[in-house]
Structure formats: C-alpha cells, structure tokens
Amino acid sequence: GGAFGGSLATMMILSGYILVYHSLLRRKLHAHVILSREESRYLLPVNTAIEVFARSPSPEEWKKFEEGMARKGVARLQI
C-alpha cells in the first residue's frame, strides 16, 4: 500500500506531539500539548518505506517557551 493525505498528516502530527511531550517530561514541565495548526501539501502518494522526523526547536526557542510557561502558564512552539 501507499500513504497519502490523512495518513501522512497523522504521522507528522504524532511525531511532533511525541517530541514535545517527551521534551516536557525531561524538563519536568507539566502542560497539556495542544495542536493548533497543521499545514501540509501533498503532491504524490508515498509508495516506499516511510520515516518521520520532527525538528526539535532550538535552545533559544525552548528558553522562550519555558519563560512563557513560568510567566503565564502558557507558551507556543513551532515544530
């Protein structure tokens, strides 16, 4: 089989969610992870083995996130 649209979006969303969830655990931050937007454009179906990787935010982005959590209890990351 192949993958397209919803299947690919689901894998990307899960990859990003897991990255953020485990990063929060490592930092001992307790927060709800909420996906506010997912944007994809599909040109062709994928008919080969698939691996999905989420880019970790930079140390500066994490610092800004942690400061927002400490100050307001809410913060954003772009994955």
Side-chain angles (χ1 to χ4, degrees):
F4 198 72
S7 300
L8 295 173
T10 299
M11 291 188 316
M12 291 184 289
I13 289 166
L14 283 173
S15 178
Y17 181 92
I18 291 166
L19 174 98
V20 172
Y21 180 82
H22 283 283
S23 295
L24 291 172
L25 287 178
R26 277 186 273 125
R27 288 172 166 77
K28 295 183 177 24
L29 294 173
H30 302 284
H32 295 282
V33 178
I34 298 170
L35 172 71
S36 64
R37 187 173 92 198
E38 186 278 331
E39 190 173 319
S40 305
R41 192 171 136 199
Y42 307 102
L43 303 177
L44 296 168
V46 176
N47 294 313
T48 59
I50 301 170
E51 291 185 46
V52 179
F53 300 92
R55 176 196 64 85
S56 184
S58 69
E60 294 80 21
E61 291 170 299
W62 274 114
K63 184 174 189 256
K64 185 177 175 183
F65 177 85
E66 289 174 352
E67 289 169 353
M69 288 294 292
R71 193 172 50 253
K72 298 187 254 179
V74 133
R76 291 178 177 256
L77 284 172
Q78 184 172 346
I79 305 296

